[in-house]
Amino acid sequence: MKKTLLGVIITLAIVFILRACSEDKKEKSILQENSMLIEQQISNVSKLIVTEGHFAEVYNYKDSQELFGPLITADKKALVVVNAEVGIAYDLSKIDFEIDEANKTLYIKSIPEPEIKINPDFEYYDVTADYLNPFGASDYNKIKKNVNASLLKKIEASSLKRNAENRLLSELQKFYVLTNSLNWKFMFGNESIDNLDKLQITD
């Protein structure tokens, strides 16, 4: 009777151990599958998110050179009309993230800075220059530099950057939806995201 009881206990213990091992393997397999799914989702959105806009600029360029003191100068000037296509992009392949399988947490540590690309088209009107102060490569480079600086100020004051941020947020929301469906936590920076209202981009 004792041998039978001992055999039953040993059998139950073996069954319990095997079941526990099986459940543990199953849990690890699910965690790995979820982790791979999250990584795949991040990979899928690792493309440039681009917002494009059009800006126009009219720029008056003037330059004077003193020849024999301030009384005699050689002048040059140009009226420049600039039409520029502007693109703002986030390269999400540079996103810094970590997946913690043990704690079922996705950490988005940082996102790349937006890339601003300006493609200006210059049209020159009323270009005049004195013989002793002709137009040269340095003048065209100076015009390009000044126009780009002016366009950057316009971009900062426009809604273009905000539109690009909204596009980025729509991509980040996919991470929240996915992690939430898998019963994982989503950390963005130092913030635990438990609803979409918390998902904000700070400067």
Side-chain angles (χ1 to χ4, degrees):
M1 180 68 179
K2 288 182 179 180
K3 289 182 179 180
T4 302
L5 184 60
L6 183 60
V8 170
I9 292 172
I10 292 173
T11 301
L12 289 173
I14 292 172
V15 170
F16 178 78
I17 292 170
L18 289 175
R19 182 175 295 177
C21 290
S22 176
E23 289 294 328
D24 187 51
K25 285 182 180 179
K26 185 177 179 181
E27 179 67 21
K28 286 182 179 179
S29 177
I30 291 173
L31 282 173
Q32 289 177 351
E33 287 177 6
N34 289 347
S35 177
M36 289 175 63
L37 183 62
I38 291 170
E39 283 193 55
Q40 183 64 40
Q41 179 66 35
I42 293 174
S43 176
N44 287 341
V45 298
S46 292
K47 58 177 181 282
L48 289 179
I49 304 171
V50 180
T51 299
E52 293 183 338
H54 179 269
F55 290 84
E57 179 90 4
V58 177
Y59 179 70
N60 280 297
Y61 177 73
K62 292 181 180 180
D63 179 80
S64 297
Q65 271 188 11
E66 294 182 359
L67 299 179
F68 304 103
L71 296 178
I72 302 176
T73 61
D75 301 322
K76 56 185 169 185
K77 65 178 183 176
L79 178 66
V80 186
V81 177
V82 184
N83 288 289
E85 294 294 333
V86 177
I88 299 181
Y90 291 90
D91 186 355
L92 294 186
S93 66
K94 298 177 182 177
I95 197 168
D96 185 11
F97 71 94
E98 178 184 341
I99 294 175
D100 183 354
E101 291 183 3
N103 295 306
K104 295 184 178 181
T105 304
L106 168 63
Y107 295 91
I108 300 295
K109 297 180 178 180
S110 65
I111 54 176
E113 291 294 320
E115 301 171 2
I116 300 176
K117 295 183 179 180
I118 302 174
N119 297 308
D121 178 34
F122 294 86
E123 294 183 13
Y124 292 86
Y125 298 91
D126 192 25
V127 178
T128 58
D130 289 339
Y131 177 76
L132 295 176
N133 188 15
F135 259 88
S138 61
D139 294 295
Y140 292 105
N141 289 334
K142 189 183 294 184
I143 289 171
K144 184 177 180 181
K145 181 180 178 181
N146 291 344
V147 167
N148 281 342
S150 177
L151 287 172
L152 280 173
K153 288 182 180 179
K154 283 189 173 183
I155 293 167
E156 291 292 338
S158 74
S159 61
L160 202 61
K161 283 188 71 175
R162 188 58 193 167
N163 290 342
E165 288 179 357
N166 288 337
R167 290 283 305 277
L168 174 62
L169 283 173
S170 70
E171 296 296 331
L172 294 177
Q173 286 173 4
K174 296 177 182 178
F175 301 153
Y176 168 76
V177 172
L178 179 60
T179 52
N180 190 52
S181 67
L182 298 174
N183 292 319
W184 280 49
K185 285 179 63 179
F186 177 34
M187 296 288 296
F188 183 56
N190 297 320
E191 186 79 20
S192 177
I193 307 300
D194 51 22
N195 64 73
L196 292 177
D197 291 335
K198 287 187 176 182
L199 196 56
Q200 301 290 332
I201 298 174
T202 56
D203 296 328

